[in-house]
Amino acid sequence: MSDNVRTYTSKERNMYLLGLAGQNMIYNIIGTGLYFYFQSVIFVPAMAISIFMAVARVWDAINDPMMGTIVDKTNTKWGKCRPYLLFIPPVVLVITILTFCNGIYSSSNSNLQNVFIIGWAAVSYILWGMIYTVGDIPLWGVTSRMTEVEKDRASILSLARIAAGLGGGVVLLSITPLSQFVGQKLEGVAGSTAKSQQYGFIIVAAVLTIIGCGLFQLTGIFVRERVQSEDRKLTFKDNIRIMWGNKPFRKQLISGVLRSPIQMLLSVAMTLMSYYYGNYFGDYMLYMIILGGGIFGGQFIAMALVPKLMEKFEKTKLFIGSTIMGAIPFALIYPIYKIAPQDLDKPFWIAVLLVVFTLAGAGMGALNVLQSVMIAD
C-alpha cells in the first residue's frame, strides 16, 4: 500500500479491538450482571426495575444523537473522538462499581430506606448509561477517522463485532457463577448469606470492571485519528432531523426500542435458571456455563453465517426472522419447566435447554450484525 494512504497500523487495530472487547465486558457487567444483582441479590422489585430500565431506553434514544453532536463539535490536538477515549474509561470504571453499591431491599427496612435503594438503583443505572454513551459513540465513530480506506474500515468493523462478542461473552459466562462462588467464601465474614452474596458480587464486578476499563483505555492510548472531518457542523436539531428523516434508520431505532423487552428476557431467563439450578441442584456453575455457553456459541455461529445469508436473502426478512428467533426460545422456557419441573438436570433436558439458549443467542448475534449493516446501508 502506498505511503500516502492514511490508514491504521496492525498494532492500532489490535489495541482498538482489545479496547472494544473491554468496553463490551463493561456493557455485560451491567446488561447481564446488574439485572441479576438487582433482582436476585438485593431484591429490588421487578416492577421498579422494568420502569427505570424502560425510562433509560427512551432516554438513550435522545442521548445518542446528543452525544454525536458533542463529538462532532469537539476539536482538540488529539482529534474529535480520542479525547473521550482517553478520559472516559476511568469515569466509567467508577460509575460501574457504584451501581453495585446499594442496600438490600427488605420488608424489615423502613419505607424511606427502600425508596432510597430503588432511587439509587434507578439514578445510578441511568447515569451509567449516559456516561457509557460518552465513550461508546466515539469508540465506534473513531474507525472512520483511523483510515481513509473503505476496505480497511469495513475490515476493522467486522472484527469489532467479534471482539465485542468475546468480551461480552467472558462476562456472560463468568460474572454470576464467580460472584456466587466468592460469596460462599465470605459467608463467615459477612454475617449473613444475603450480605455475603452481595459482597461477592461487588468484588467480582469490581475486578471485571477494572479489567474491562483497562482494556478500554488502550484505544485512547494507541489509536490515532488520521482523517480530517468535513467543515460542516451539525447541531443537535440537525442530527435529530437527519436521523428521523432517514427512513431505514428510523425503522431501526423504533425496532430497537420495541425489541428492548427481548433483551431483558435474556437477563430474566438467566435469573430464573440460576434460581432454579442454584436451589434444586448442586452443580450450579456447571449448568450456567453450559447454558451461557449456548448463548455465547449461538451468537458467534450467527455472526459467521449472516454475511453468507445476506447474499441469498433480503436483509429485512433476515432481520424479522432473527427477531422472532431471538424471542421464541425464551417463551419456551416456562412450558419446558411445566413439562419437566424436577428433571431439568437430566441430560435430555439439559440438551433441550442448550438448543433453546443457542437459538436465542443466534437470534441476538444475527440482529447485531444485521443492525450494523442496515444502518451502514
Side-chain angles (χ1 to χ4, degrees):
M1 185 174 288
S2 170
D3 292 337
N4 295 325
V5 175
R6 295 173 296 176
T7 192
Y8 52 79
T9 65
S10 58
K11 181 179 180 180
E12 277 182 79
R13 178 200 62 208
N14 295 339
M15 293 300 103
Y16 175 79
L17 295 175
L18 281 173
L20 196 67
Q23 189 236 22
N24 275 267
M25 286 180 65
I26 300 161
Y27 181 83
N28 262 25
I29 288 167
I30 298 297
T32 301
L34 189 65
Y35 187 93
F36 179 89
Y37 178 78
F38 279 162
Q39 192 169 51
S40 301
V41 178
I42 63 172
F43 308 113
V44 176
M47 181 61 71
I49 297 172
S50 300
I51 291 171
F52 66 69
M53 285 192 171
V55 170
R57 293 288 294 188
V58 173
W59 172 243
D60 280 346
I62 302 170
N63 192 36
D64 286 359
M66 187 184 300
M67 188 60 213
T69 302
I70 293 171
V71 171
D72 188 57
K73 292 185 175 183
T74 300
N75 285 294
T76 72
K77 63 181 180 180
W78 298 299
K80 286 183 174 294
C81 298
R82 193 169 168 235
Y84 300 99
L85 302 179
L86 280 168
F87 301 114
I88 283 299
V91 184
V92 172
L93 185 151
V94 172
I95 187 60
T96 302
I97 294 174
L98 286 178
T99 58
F100 289 89
C101 298
N102 206 336
I104 297 177
Y105 188 97
S106 171
S107 58
S108 62
N109 295 341
S110 68
N111 289 335
L112 186 60
Q113 283 178 305
N114 284 336
V115 167
F116 275 119
I117 289 169
I118 294 174
W120 175 242
V123 169
S124 62
Y125 179 77
I126 294 172
L127 183 60
W128 176 87
M130 293 173 63
I131 294 173
Y132 183 85
T133 298
V134 175
D136 187 55
I137 298 294
L139 181 62
W140 288 97
V142 76
T143 56
S144 64
R145 303 178 186 280
M146 290 169 64
T147 178
E148 62 183 359
V149 181
E150 186 63 35
K151 183 179 179 181
D152 288 350
R153 188 178 301 120
S155 174
I156 199 169
L157 284 173
S158 64
L159 291 171
R161 283 296 177 188
I162 297 173
L166 285 171
V170 167
V171 173
L172 177 67
L173 292 175
S174 65
I175 187 167
T176 303
L178 282 178
S179 298
Q180 297 206 339
F181 175 77
V182 173
Q184 290 172 1
K185 299 297 182 182
L186 295 175
E187 283 188 4
V189 178
S192 70
T193 301
K195 276 293 182 185
S196 67
Q197 289 300 311
Q198 183 184 25
Y199 294 160
F201 230 103
I202 292 172
I203 290 170
V204 171
V207 170
L208 290 174
T209 300
I210 291 169
I211 294 171
C213 285
L215 293 173
F216 187 12
Q217 188 74 66
L218 295 176
T219 56
I221 296 172
F222 290 100
V223 165
R224 296 292 180 269
E225 296 186 28
R226 294 175 174 80
V227 181
Q228 298 299 316
S229 59
E230 59 183 25
D231 293 333
R232 184 189 176 197
K233 302 295 182 184
L234 298 175
T235 65
F236 174 67
K237 187 182 293 186
D238 291 333
N239 280 328
I240 290 291
R241 186 174 62 252
I242 292 170
M243 179 184 70
W244 195 252
N246 185 322
K247 188 176 180 180
F249 184 83
R250 185 170 71 243
K251 288 181 177 179
Q252 286 287 318
L253 180 64
I254 295 171
S255 173
V257 173
L258 293 177
R259 284 189 294 106
S260 59
I262 298 175
Q263 300 296 325
M264 291 181 66
L265 280 174
L266 171 60
S267 298
V268 173
M270 294 304 290
T271 299
L272 290 173
M273 291 294 102
S274 62
Y275 176 82
Y276 178 82
Y277 286 108
N279 282 276
Y280 294 103
F281 304 108
D283 295 327
Y284 165 79
M285 291 182 65
L286 174 63
Y287 295 122
M288 288 298 97
I289 289 172
I290 292 172
L291 299 179
I295 294 174
F296 188 48
Q299 287 180 322
F300 273 89
I301 292 170
M303 285 191 287
L305 290 178
V306 165
K308 298 293 183 183
L309 292 174
M310 285 191 296
E311 297 174 2
K312 298 182 178 181
F313 303 98
E314 293 180 14
K315 297 184 186 73
T316 303
K317 291 181 179 179
L318 287 173
F319 189 88
I320 294 170
S322 299
T323 301
I324 295 171
M325 186 169 68
I328 289 178
F330 293 125
L332 292 175
I333 291 175
Y334 183 70
I336 290 172
Y337 169 76
K338 293 298 290 183
I339 293 169
Q342 303 299 324
D343 297 322
L344 294 185
D345 64 328
K346 301 296 189 294
F348 172 78
W349 289 107
I350 287 291
V352 169
L353 286 172
L354 177 60
V355 171
V356 167
F357 275 72
T358 300
L359 288 173
M364 291 185 291
L367 284 172
N368 285 338
V369 175
L370 288 164
Q371 194 167 27
S372 298
V373 172
M374 292 170 77
I375 289 174
D377 289 346

